[in-house]
Amino acid sequence: MSDVATRDAYGKKLAELGEKYANIVVLDADLSGSTKTGVFAKKFPERFFNMGVAEQDLMGTAAGLASTGKVAYASTFAVFAAGRAWEIIRQSACYPNFNVKVCASHAGLSVGEDGASHQMIEDIAIMRAIPNMKVFVPCDGAETEQVIEAVYHLEGPCYVRLGRAKCPSVFPADYKFQVGKGFVIKEGSDVCLFTAGFLTGDTLGAAAKLAENGISASVVALASVKPIDEELISKMAKKHRLLVSVEEHTVVGGIGSAIAEVLTSRSPAPLLRLGMQDEFGQSADAKILIKHYGLDAEGIAQSVLKRLKEV
């Protein structure tokens, strides 16, 4: 599959699933052109609901439909889905464990010019903290399509983090996403780079730059953030000198924190957490921002080389 934004893969797959499963309903908050739920709406207008700019109503109605046996995919920008509607998701979808699949687009720093107000960098933290909620961060089009179908079959609420910018395809043709499992994209021996979502391509680029400096790096994709692959993380901790998490999310409560929780309870090991260092973003082109915050391939590699001198 060529480079594609995960939101585009979501819209395409959702329309395909509508053909297979008659109990799917889709809801949006007047952003279906951007979230790509408009693809489903054109094919199945009787199963699509535009709730307007009313994110709490969006999630509450999705929960109500799920209570009748529907599988409700509810979409809007991540800053509204995870932020403005958080309490409704907690009370109306997660507490009763309803089949509400929150698919949130425009997440992370890569929203770029939309600025700090729309760069949702806290959603993984606040969503994975809710009981019953499962959290997924696919990194390319192929993985997104598999995640979108996988959450249909999962009982209870799910949060899928999607992005606006195009992502490179990183998986082999026979890749199969599994809930609760990570995937080793590249095998190495010195450091292990864990990542998910938009920065996976830059993380692979960082591994190549580390190789130029004599450092052998593994790269692991962790699309399933909750549940997380504790066995694989523990295995990598025993095999490498240093573990590194890379994410376009605050380091407070994100993927790096989830890994640290596993390490603390199972296999203590040095962990470098790269991401937003407890600060808001700025308005600029996505590539400029990623570089500014040291999350491009060169920035990741330099941070790893610096940390390796200390372990």
Side-chain angles (χ1 to χ4, degrees):
M1 180 178 283
S2 57
D3 292 3
V4 63
T6 52
R7 61 170 174 153
D8 287 311
Y10 166 56
K12 171 177 175 289
K13 189 64 180 180
L14 195 58
E16 291 178 9
L17 292 180
E19 297 277 4
K20 295 174 63 176
Y21 307 112
N23 65 338
I24 286 179
V25 293
V26 176
L27 302 91
D28 205 290
D30 212 25
L31 289 168
S32 60
S34 296
T35 63
K36 304 303 179 183
T37 60
V39 182
F40 182 96
K42 288 181 180 177
K43 293 184 68 173
F44 308 103
E46 75 283 1
R47 289 193 272 151
F48 176 80
F49 304 92
N50 182 356
M51 302 303 297
V53 185
E55 289 77 14
Q56 292 98 335
D57 286 344
L58 168 74
M59 298 305 173
T61 303
L65 289 166
S67 73
T68 70
K70 304 295 185 185
V71 177
Y73 285 75
S75 296
T76 183
F77 289 179
V79 70
F80 305 131
R84 189 171 295 170
W86 184 87
E87 191 262 346
I88 308 300
I89 292 173
R90 179 186 185 275
Q91 305 286 41
S92 300
C94 292
Y95 182 55
N97 202 31
F98 285 154
N99 273 320
V100 176
K101 317 303 177 183
V102 180
C103 297
S105 71
H106 294 62
L109 195 63
S110 54
V111 172
E113 292 89 342
D114 285 1
S117 64
H118 283 58
Q119 292 164 357
M120 189 40 153
I121 56 172
E122 307 93 356
D123 52 335
I124 296 173
I126 60 179
M127 281 296 159
R128 76 183 186 92
I130 311 175
N132 289 333
M133 179 62 93
K134 294 164 280 290
V135 179
F136 304 99
V137 187
C139 73
D140 70 3
E143 186 174 55
T144 298
E145 291 191 21
Q146 294 191 43
V147 168
I148 294 305
E149 181 150 14
V151 299
Y152 172 83
H153 298 288
L154 279 177
E155 188 67 26
C158 298
Y159 181 82
V160 183
R161 189 185 212 229
L162 304 168
R164 179 171 69 178
K166 289 184 177 180
C167 303
S169 180
V170 299
F171 291 112
D174 60 350
Y175 170 69
K176 177 63 177 176
F177 167 75
Q178 298 181 69
V179 174
K181 294 295 182 183
F183 183 81
V184 181
I185 303 176
K186 179 182 177 302
E187 289 274 8
S189 57
D190 296 317
V191 301
C192 180
L193 310 176
F194 292 98
T195 190
F198 180 72
L199 294 180
T200 303
D202 281 295
T203 304
L204 284 164
K209 291 185 178 296
L210 288 170
E212 295 171 1
N213 287 272
I215 303 298
S216 173
S218 297
V219 177
V220 176
L222 284 177
S224 184
V225 179
K226 183 189 176 189
I228 201 165
D229 194 339
E230 295 190 14
E231 184 178 349
L232 178 59
I233 293 170
S234 182
K235 176 183 174 182
M236 291 300 176
K238 295 172 182 173
K239 181 180 175 182
H240 298 83
R241 293 166 54 197
L242 175 67
L243 305 182
V244 182
S245 59
V246 182
E247 56 189 319
E248 53 163 346
H249 183 276
T250 173
V251 295
V252 181
I255 294 171
S257 292
I259 293 170
E261 291 163 11
V262 175
L263 297 176
T264 300
S265 62
R266 294 184 54 143
S267 303
L271 172 66
L272 172 64
R273 292 181 295 158
L274 300 179
M276 298 300 288
Q277 302 296 320
D278 199 17
E279 59 184 324
F280 286 107
Q282 305 172 62
S283 179
D285 176 81
K287 289 185 178 179
I288 293 174
L289 287 175
I290 296 299
K291 180 178 177 62
H292 175 78
Y293 290 104
L295 298 173
D296 63 337
E298 180 64 29
I300 296 167
Q302 290 302 317
S303 293
V304 172
L305 290 171
K306 179 180 179 183
R307 186 71 177 91
L308 276 174
K309 295 177 182 178
E310 303 169 351
V311 298

